Amino acid sequence: MRGDLGKPLFIALWLLIPRVSTAHGGEIHGTDGLWQEWNTAASTLLPLLLGVGFYVLGVFRLWHKAGVGRGIPVFRAAVYGLGMLTLIVALVSPLDMAANALFSMHMTQHLLLILVAPPLLISGNPDVALLWALPHRWRAGWGRCEQRLARSLTGGKGALIVVLLATGVLWAWHLPQLYDLAVRNEAVHWVEHAGFLITALLFWITVLRIRPREHIDNGMRILYVFGMALQGSLLGALITFATRPLYQSHMTVPSQWGLDPLADQQVAGLIMWVPPAMLYMGVVAYLFVYWLNAAATRNEERKRQDAHRA
């Protein structure tokens, strides 16, 4: 690899000290004060506030009715809060501004939206919180809709559709033309981030919102997760080993950070390649263990049934 690969690895630390000042849209005006640059656009803050507000309202009503920790354990509420904090770091903090300048920071932002925030949010039982946040007369209808959605996503065909959709969204937005358009245009950038987050939430529902008896079907889920890992690693590898910068948005900006554009791109590819592969393999291990346990439980039940018939 050409260029200085060490410098991009320290950019995240630079965000904590007054070094860079940028204007939205990727224009760099100097090297002082990036930590002061926070994204306060209503299109970003309003969905986050709604996500926090509905959850807090639902948890308050549930715990007031049933007792603290009932329905949604305290640790799950904390996990949801951590997921929202991750979204704030990705979309509101100075990381959002740095992502306009550096491809490596942009890939870090994408990983937070795809691999970190969604599983934390899903693990916080947001469906239960939303059910209690809604007016009483709407709850029965919402509950039925949520159950139908959960059944369709955790089924074989539903999970496959989610994987294909998430793959298509990821690859489409990393085409140079669409990627550069998203960096230049705030509305397109918002649609890009929304697509990443929504498809990731749907994918993690298929993995994390599984009832105990459904783990017996984890064999297909393992294949789907492996497919997600494979396609993400392939995209990361293509970016890492490209012999020239692929994106016009980052042709000149990284030099103002003292970086070579190709080195920045190579680090971005590694960020997209290595951490996701490790996480997905961890998910495969998780599904495999529960698959074995479910198979063992089923065998024990069959033995008991056979013994009872005898």
Side-chain angles (χ1 to χ4, degrees):
M1 296 182 184
R2 295 184 297 163
D4 182 0
L5 294 182
K7 290 181 179 178
L9 301 179
F10 294 98
I11 296 302
L13 296 178
W14 289 13
L15 300 180
L16 301 178
I17 58 179
R19 288 202 173 191
V20 178
S21 177
T22 65
H24 227 315
E27 299 180 9
I28 306 294
H29 295 297
T31 55
D32 296 302
L34 178 61
W35 64 274
Q36 298 176 344
E37 300 292 343
W38 293 73
N39 180 9
T40 57
S43 58
T44 298
L45 293 181
L46 184 58
L48 294 176
L49 290 174
L50 289 175
V52 172
F54 275 107
Y55 190 85
V56 170
L57 177 60
V59 169
F60 175 80
R61 286 178 173 175
L62 173 59
W63 287 357
H64 180 73
K65 180 75 172 181
V68 174
R70 298 293 185 89
I72 299 178
V74 174
F75 83 93
R76 289 193 175 274
V79 168
Y80 183 89
L82 187 58
M84 293 303 303
L85 180 61
T86 302
L87 289 182
I88 292 172
V89 171
L91 301 174
V92 179
S93 81
L95 175 62
D96 182 61
M97 200 65 68
N100 286 328
L102 294 172
F103 191 24
S104 52
M105 289 297 98
H106 211 144
M107 291 304 98
T108 300
Q109 184 184 48
H110 287 179
L111 291 192
L112 293 177
L113 293 175
I114 295 172
L115 294 179
V116 181
L120 293 173
L121 295 173
I122 294 301
S123 297
N125 292 347
D127 53 329
V128 177
L130 179 57
L131 184 68
W132 281 85
L134 293 174
H136 188 273
R137 63 181 179 277
W138 294 357
R139 292 177 187 173
W142 164 254
R144 289 191 295 269
C145 290
E146 190 276 333
Q147 289 177 359
R148 285 196 294 267
L149 177 62
R151 285 195 297 267
S152 64
L153 290 179
T154 55
K157 291 183 180 179
L160 177 59
I161 292 173
V162 168
V163 169
L164 293 176
L165 181 61
T167 300
V169 168
L170 180 67
W171 281 75
W173 284 111
H174 285 88
L175 294 173
Q177 296 84 353
L178 274 180
Y179 179 93
D180 289 331
L181 177 61
V183 173
R184 294 193 307 267
N185 188 293
E186 283 301 311
V188 177
H189 205 177
W190 189 94
V191 172
E192 176 197 39
H193 286 170
F196 286 151
L197 184 59
I198 291 171
T199 55
L201 287 169
L202 293 175
F203 169 74
W204 287 105
I205 287 174
T206 70
V207 174
L208 299 178
R209 298 308 304 275
I210 306 171
R211 289 171 293 187
R213 65 175 180 271
E214 294 173 338
H215 281 293
I216 196 65
D217 299 321
N218 277 4
M220 289 302 299
R221 294 187 183 93
I222 289 173
L223 291 178
Y224 294 149
V225 173
F226 182 77
M228 289 289 287
L230 182 62
Q231 60 87 23
S233 295
L234 178 59
L235 181 57
L238 291 174
I239 294 173
T240 301
F241 293 112
T243 57
R244 61 180 179 82
L246 300 175
Y247 301 95
Q248 292 293 328
S249 305
H250 304 297
M251 288 289 191
T252 58
V253 171
S255 64
Q256 302 185 41
W257 297 66
L259 299 173
D260 175 73
L262 186 57
D264 180 41
Q265 180 173 286
Q266 290 166 343
V267 172
L270 289 173
I271 290 172
M272 190 172 188
W273 180 359
V274 179
M278 296 175 63
L279 177 62
Y280 283 131
M281 291 305 100
V283 174
V284 167
Y286 159 82
L287 291 173
F288 185 71
V289 169
Y290 276 88
W291 187 23
L292 292 180
N293 291 338
T297 300
R298 174 172 288 189
N299 288 335
E300 289 296 327
E301 290 177 351
R302 287 176 176 175
K303 288 180 181 179
R304 286 196 296 268
Q305 291 174 358
D306 292 341
H308 181 71
R309 294 192 188 99

